[in-house]
Amino acid sequence: MEFLTSHGSDLLFYLFSAFAIAGALGVVTLRNPMYGAISLLTTFLAVAVLFLLRHAEFVGIVQIFVYGGGIMVLFLFVIMLVNLHKLPQMRLFSGQAPLAGVLGLLLALFFGYFLLQARFLGPAFSAPESFVSVNGQVLGNSQAVSWNLFTQHFIPFEIASIFLLVAMVGAVVLGRRQ
Amino acid sequence: MFEVTTNHYLVVSFLLFAIGVFGIAARKNMITVLMSIELVLNAVNINFIAFSYQLSDLTGQIFSIFTITVAAGEAAVGLGILIALFRLRETTTLSEVADLKG
C-alpha cells in the first residue's frame, strides 16, 4: 500500500502509456476504420492522462475536448458518411508495407541512438512554480497558460485564429456539392 | 529506474511516432492514414509537454496548444478532401487514385 501511494503517478504513467501504444497499434492494424477510430479515441484519452501527470492540466483537458470531442466526432461522422461496402475483400496494407516497416525500423535505430546518449534527470519538484503562478501570484495552470498566451504569444494566437478561419472555409468549399 | 523521467516520456512519444509513420506509409485506406497523422501529432505534443516539465518552462504547453489547433484544421481539411474524393470516385483507397503517379 505504501508502494502504491509513493509510486502512484509512476504506475499511472505505465498503465496509460500502455493504453496509448495499444490504441495506436489498433489504429494501424484494425481493418474496419470504425474500430480504428475507437482505438484512436483510447490513445487520445490516454495521452491526455500523460499530460495531466506532467502538470499540464489545461492542455490535458483541451486534448480531451478537441481530440476526444471534436476531431473524433469528425472522423466518426465521415466514416459513417462514406459507405465502405467493399471492405472485406480489400487488402489491408499496400505494396509498400515492407518499405514502411524498414522506415519504422530506421526511425527506431535513429531515435534509440539519441535516447541512449541522452540522460535526463527525473522530476526534481512536484509542480513547477512557473506552471501555476501569474506575476508571482499562485493561481492555477489555466491562468498561467492564458497569461502567457495573451501577453507573450499574442501574435501567434491571432494567426492561429486566422488559420482556423481559413481551414473552416476550405473544408466547407471542399465538402460542398458542385 | 522505476521512477518516471523525461526519458520514459520520450520512449512513449517515439513509439507513437513510429507507429504513426508506419500507418501513414503502409495503409491503403485514406481514413486510416489521416488517423495515423493524428497519432504523429500527438507524439509531438507528448515531447513538448515532457520537455516543458523538464525545463519547468510554460512555452512547451503553449506550443502544444498551437499544435492541437493545427491538427484540428488539418483533420477538417483532410476529411473535406476525403468527402470530395469519395463523391468523385466512390472510393477511399489510396492506390485507386494514383493518377499523378505518371
Side-chain angles (χ1 to χ4, degrees):
Chain A
M1 196 59 211
E2 196 178 324
F3 181 80
L4 273 184
T5 48
S6 59
H7 290 283
S9 61
D10 296 339
L11 288 173
L12 277 180
F13 169 81
Y14 288 117
L15 179 67
F16 281 98
S17 52
F19 272 134
I21 291 164
L25 283 175
V27 171
V28 294
T29 52
L30 287 174
R31 179 175 292 276
N32 193 334
M34 186 61 92
Y35 299 152
I38 300 301
S39 190
L40 188 65
L41 181 62
T42 312
T43 301
F44 286 162
L45 296 179
V47 168
V49 174
L50 297 189
F51 289 172
L52 292 181
L53 288 175
R54 268 324 188 216
H55 293 282
E57 287 90 3
F58 181 71
V59 182
I61 299 301
V62 165
Q63 163 95 2
I64 293 177
F65 281 0
V66 174
Y67 275 107
I71 294 180
M72 190 44 63
V73 167
L74 211 59
F75 269 110
L76 290 178
F77 188 73
V78 167
I79 289 168
M80 289 184 213
L81 200 65
V82 173
N83 185 16
L84 299 167
H85 42 273
K86 52 173 185 171
L87 213 61
Q89 56 266 45
M90 200 174 78
R91 271 173 57 230
L92 194 60
F93 294 111
S94 64
Q96 58 189 5
L99 210 63
V102 170
L103 182 67
L105 212 64
L106 278 179
L107 273 175
L109 291 176
F110 182 72
F111 283 113
Y113 175 72
F114 286 111
L115 275 180
L116 285 179
Q117 293 211 325
R119 279 275 170 270
F120 293 109
L121 301 171
F125 27 70
S126 54
E129 179 74 14
S130 65
F131 281 15
V132 289
S133 60
V134 178
N135 285 339
Q137 199 182 353
V138 175
L139 287 175
N141 186 244
S142 301
Q143 283 91 339
V145 166
S146 55
W147 180 264
N148 211 309
L149 195 61
F150 289 126
T151 53
Q152 292 177 32
H153 304 274
F154 189 65
I155 303 288
F157 179 78
E158 291 298 325
I159 293 173
S161 72
I162 294 173
F163 165 79
L164 279 179
L165 178 68
V166 171
M168 187 178 74
V169 172
V172 168
V173 169
L174 280 170
R176 194 183 47 176
R177 214 172 279 277
Q178 305 297 331
Chain B
M1 193 62 207
F2 188 78
E3 192 187 34
V4 173
T5 63
T6 305
N7 268 30
H8 292 70
Y9 271 79
L10 293 187
V11 169
V12 173
S13 150
F14 152 65
L15 283 173
L16 283 185
F17 187 87
I19 293 169
V21 167
F22 177 77
I24 292 171
R27 286 296 298 259
K28 291 184 86 172
N29 195 341
M30 188 176 166
I31 299 173
T32 311
V33 171
L34 285 173
M35 291 197 281
S36 301
I37 293 174
E38 300 296 331
L39 280 181
V40 170
L41 290 168
N42 247 306
V44 173
N45 268 349
I46 293 175
N47 264 3
F48 274 128
I49 296 296
F51 277 113
S52 160
Y53 185 77
Q54 165 88 21
L55 304 170
S56 93
D57 188 343
L58 208 56
T59 314
Q61 297 190 11
I62 304 285
F63 210 108
S64 66
I65 292 172
F66 287 125
T67 314
I68 290 174
T69 312
V70 172
E74 173 262 324
V77 173
L79 291 171
I81 292 173
L82 182 76
I83 295 285
L85 180 72
F86 187 76
R87 234 177 239 146
L88 210 62
R89 294 289 183 87
E90 293 284 314
T91 182
T92 59
T93 307
L94 284 172
S95 55
E96 289 177 22
V97 285
D99 293 352
L100 286 177
K101 213 171 173 182

